[in-house]
Every structure is written in C-alpha cells, then in structure tokens.
Amino acid sequence: SARPPPPLPGAMALGAGGSAADARDAARIAGAELAALGIRQNYAPVADVNVNPANPVIGVRSFGADPDAVAHLVTAQIGGYQSAGVAATVKHFPGHGDTDVDSHVGLPVITHSRAEWKRLDAPPFRAAISAGVDAIMTAHLLFPALDPVDDPATLSRAIITGVLRHELGFDGVVVTDSLGMAGVRKKYGDDRVPVLALKAGADQLLNPPDLPTARDGVRRAVRDGELTEARLDQSVRRVLELKARRGLLDDPYTSDRAVNRAVGAREHRETADRIAERTTTLLVNDGHLLPLSPHSHRELLVVGPDPAAPSGTGGPPTAVLARALTALGFTAEALSTGAGFGAETAPDPTPERIAAAVAAARGQDAVIVATYNVGRDSRQRTLVSALAATGVPLVHVALRNPYDIARLTGPSGKAPAASLATYSWTDVELRAAARVIAGRADPRGRLPVPVRRADAPRRVLYPMGHGLSY
C-alpha cells in the first residue's frame, strides 16, 4: 500500500475523550490494518492504572487514573481488536501504574497492599478476562503483597498461576514482557529466565535476547525433568486455541488486495481525525485568550522540542502545528528547540536556542510553545518563562504527559495564558490541537488523571475530569 496507516489517538487521549465507542473504533481500525498486514496478535491495550505522575514507563500509555474508567475503555478496545480478527493482549499484569522506575532499565517495586491491588490495579484485568481477552502480558516488577519472593511477576508462580490463573480464572495465553529488558535479567541468566517464566505459567516468551540460549535452556530443563512436557503441552494448546478462535487455522494468509483495501483507508483517516478532535483538553484559558483568530493574532511562532514520531511516520511536531495553523488562515513559523528523545535532557533547549526563541517571539501576535515531559530541573521551564516574560500572548501545548503545566506555574515566572494537553505528538493529535486553537473545534477532552502541584504533590491543581470549553 502506498498509503501510510493513520496515527490513532493513544490510550490517555482516548481516556480524555471518555468514549467507549471511540476507543472501540480506534482498536477496530488498528486491528483491521494489522490483520491486513498479516499481524494477528497485538500487545495492546494497556490496562495499567496510572496513579503515579512520576511513572517513567507508562504515563500516556494508560487510559487514566480511575480503575473503572480504565476497565471500561480496556473492554471496548478488546472488542475492537478481536472483532477485526486480531488477538488483544492486556498488560502489564499485575499492574504497572504506580512506579517511578522504568522496568526497561531497572526492577520496580509496587508497594500496594493486597487490598489496594484489588481496588486499584485489578479491576481492568478482571474486566478484560470477563470480556474474553485472548492474552495477558506480565510485568517485570516486584509485588511483595502478591508474592514476597524476590522475583519479578514474570517469573512468579504465585502471581501468574496463583493470582491470574486460579484467583481471576484466566485460561488464555500469558505472554511475558520482553525478556531483553533489564527488569527480568538482574538475577538470572538468559538461559534460566525462559525456564522460570514457563514454570511460573507463561505460554509465550517474548523477545529473548539470544534465541539459541533460551531454546537450549528450555531443552535442558525438559531433559533434566525440571520442566515437564505436559506443562509445555498446556501452553501449546492455549496458543493453538487462540489461533483457532481468531480463524488462523482456517485462513492464515493475507493478500496485496487486503493491504491495499485496508491500510490507510480514507474512512480510517477521517475517523482518526474525528476521534482526536474529541480528546484535546483545555486546562487553562486566562482572559479567554483562546480561540485565536487570524484577524487579531495572525502572526504566530510555534516553538518547542521535536521528538521523533511515535510510529515513525509524520512530524516533526513544531512543523506539523505550524502547517496546520497556516492552513487555518494564520501565518505560522516553526522554530525547533531540538530533538526530544535519547539523552535525559534531550527535550531541553540550549541557552542559545532559548535566546533565539525569545528573539523570534518579539513582534509576533502570539506564541505557541510545546513541551515534552517537563522535569523538575528541565530547561523547558526556562524557555516557557522567558517567552512569557516577553509579554506576547503565550499558548502552551503539552505534547505527552499532561502533568507539564504543574511545572510551568508558580513563583518562578509568568505562566502561559492558555494551556492544552494533547497526550501525544502524532500528526492527528497536533492537527486537532490546531483546530482547537483556531476555534474550528471545541475542546472536549477532560483530564483522565489529576494534575498535582509540583511543589506540593498532596494538593491537586487540576482534578480528574477538569477541562474547559469555549
């Protein structure tokens, strides 16, 4: 297909939209395009409840901070994927929402009690099992309340077989998170991790860093009687049953015609745009600065970091926003302050770029400043307060986590007059944000997580459900 697949609004954006129908449609579109390409298992949706703003690995991958709302949207997405013939996989069991450690590089510990797990983490997984989800992915984290042994959930028989299989009654496919991640490799060698995961109750071993080593480790365990053939047969049967349920044993192939019909279809692109329009959240609008009109604020500067597009298609964000605003009657110029990925400080502008942005802002009718996951010591804060100090009307757009605004208000300097959360820096979300800024669309998103004060985390700056309209 010459057409790229459309980027679809991600989980937290769908959480802000709050529509089960939109969540189902987004999954149905993604599922139809994946199935056409011959990909029949998807590692989505995320069922983690993001109750920790400092979570470095989940964040906007979660639908939000309310367990019931997350469960509702998880169920909708399972229906969307599986109706398209694609196996859905909810993750990361038993719940990865309350951690400040990234399991790609470390081993997080979840300190929830069993009662807190039942109330906060378990509801979306219970709902997924009731909805007939095909697969569940494990998490590389310690959960002492569920298993006091010092092993990650991926390798815990108490968690996978005890809690997931026996307590919650799941008999579908259990897949591990990537076995190349540091969280599962800290204690055991790459030959032992697959064996321990299978003994714990896993059926699929995802991405072992060295396949021959993993295979030889499993063979050795079977030969030595540590792993029985009956245990492996259970897993093989579950995988075959999944394939049968999704029709793969009857009709496993796709075709060029299927790809050309489904991938990047106009109906899919239009639906993605419509859904995105319902997700943009307006957090601040002092003095009714927004919407902007080309009559009063024609000359715009769009400034901020340019992280690579999540799907590898589209971007860079400042250029996409500037193009979309220009198409809506403004004269918008983009000024990138640098890349947005890689090193910890990647989204942070250099002092030279901050000075260039301030110089470019003078004489403009308004400035749109984008931020990407603003940390406590981030120079993005310096950029925003320097732009606010110019006196040119300032509109802030949080490109990823909606918590950025908490670091941009306070005694350190002037704050933006208006602030939007897009939850993603895909083209579809940025075009929707441009339509909201221009008043072509009403901001309808509502925060699916609370935004707490950065200097006093017990105090809520903007509660869950907050969102302004025109």
Side-chain angles (χ1 to χ4, degrees):
S1 169
R3 302 174 311 229
L8 288 151
M12 196 172 281
L14 292 168
S19 164
D22 282 353
R24 188 179 298 107
D25 283 346
R28 177 184 54 78
I29 288 169
E33 302 208 352
L34 287 169
L37 293 165
I39 298 167
R40 300 294 292 274
Q41 182 173 5
N42 192 19
Y43 297 133
V46 167
D48 302 316
V49 181
N50 202 75
V51 293
N52 188 339
N55 195 323
V57 63
I58 304 300
V60 294
R61 299 165 67 198
S62 162
F63 290 108
D66 176 72
D68 293 334
V70 172
H72 192 53
L73 296 179
V74 160
T75 302
Q77 290 229 298
I78 291 166
Y81 284 121
Q82 294 185 180
S83 70
V86 170
T89 308
V90 294
K91 59 187 184 182
H92 307 80
F93 190 84
H96 211 317
D98 189 5
T99 172
D100 55 9
V101 173
D102 183 345
S103 49
H104 292 87
V105 295
L107 181 57
V109 182
I110 305 289
T111 57
H112 291 178
S113 67
R114 198 169 227 286
E116 286 173 318
W117 173 77
K118 280 187 167 171
R119 182 172 58 83
L120 278 175
D121 305 287
F125 292 103
R126 284 187 190 279
I129 293 166
S130 296
V133 72
D134 280 329
I136 294 179
M137 182 183 284
T138 65
H140 304 327
L141 45 75
L142 300 177
F143 211 126
L146 300 183
D147 186 359
V149 176
D150 192 27
D151 282 335
T154 295
L155 309 182
S156 165
R157 185 168 171 80
I159 290 175
I160 296 179
T161 298
V163 178
L164 181 56
R165 295 258 188 244
H166 294 159
E167 197 176 315
L168 299 187
F170 180 63
D171 195 36
V173 168
V174 171
V175 57
T176 70
D177 206 343
S178 167
L179 298 185
M181 289 164 61
V184 80
R185 299 175 76 193
K186 284 200 169 298
K187 193 169 161 186
Y188 303 101
D190 291 339
D191 60 332
R192 291 296 295 157
V193 167
V195 174
L196 296 171
L198 289 167
K199 284 176 72 175
D203 303 304
Q204 290 179 320
L205 305 170
L206 176 60
N207 194 31
D210 186 287
L211 198 54
T213 299
R215 183 194 58 214
D216 293 347
V218 171
R219 276 183 170 162
R220 196 176 311 115
V222 172
R223 202 172 53 238
D224 296 348
E226 184 185 6
L227 260 180
T228 65
E229 287 193 35
R231 168 66 200 88
L232 295 184
D233 286 345
Q234 279 182 327
S235 289
V236 171
R237 183 183 177 92
R238 286 191 191 106
V239 172
L240 289 173
E241 285 173 342
L242 185 159
K243 289 185 172 186
R245 269 198 309 280
R246 294 297 140 237
L248 276 165
L249 300 184
D250 305 322
D251 183 18
Y253 300 111
T254 187
S255 65
D256 289 347
R257 189 163 155 267
V259 173
N260 289 329
R261 191 173 61 234
V263 176
R266 197 169 104 190
E267 180 248 326
H268 292 179
R269 293 199 309 273
E270 288 171 354
T271 303
D273 275 326
R274 279 200 311 275
I275 295 172
E277 209 160 83
R278 296 191 273 268
T279 65
T280 310
T281 308
L282 179 61
L283 300 177
V284 180
N285 194 17
D286 292 345
H288 300 288
L289 173 61
L290 294 183
L292 299 181
S293 158
H295 302 299
S296 53
H297 296 91
R298 177 175 292 275
E299 304 287 331
L300 304 180
L301 174 70
V302 180
V303 61
D306 278 327
S311 59
T313 57
T318 55
V320 172
L321 262 176
R323 261 200 316 274
L325 288 162
T326 298
L328 293 167
F330 299 89
T331 304
E333 171 196 341
L335 177 64
S336 177
T337 56
F341 267 154
E344 277 296 300
T345 56
D348 284 6
T350 61
E352 294 76 19
R353 298 227 181 179
I354 293 172
V358 168
R362 295 209 167 92
Q364 301 284 352
D365 294 319
V367 174
I368 318 293
V369 60
T371 61
Y372 182 97
N373 290 7
V374 178
R376 188 182 57 201
D377 303 316
S378 171
R379 282 195 304 271
Q380 294 182 85
R381 300 176 72 182
T382 315
L383 170 68
V384 173
S385 60
L387 288 169
T390 63
V392 177
L394 188 61
V395 178
H396 165 246
V397 179
L399 293 178
R400 187 165 180 163
N401 288 345
Y403 311 112
D404 286 6
I405 187 62
R407 301 237 182 240
L408 306 178
T409 55
S412 57
K414 289 187 69 177
S419 179
L420 294 163
T422 63
Y423 312 96
S424 172
W425 60 109
T426 57
D427 290 12
V428 69
E429 290 291 3
L430 295 171
R431 287 196 304 265
R435 291 196 295 279
V436 167
I437 289 167
R440 301 294 181 89
D442 191 40
R444 288 166 59 180
R446 299 292 177 261
L447 275 178
V449 293
V451 173
R452 300 179 183 280
R453 275 183 52 167
D455 57 347
R458 288 177 176 275
R459 294 179 63 183
V460 173
L461 195 60
Y462 302 107
M464 204 155 29
H466 172 78
L468 306 174
S469 297
Y470 296 149

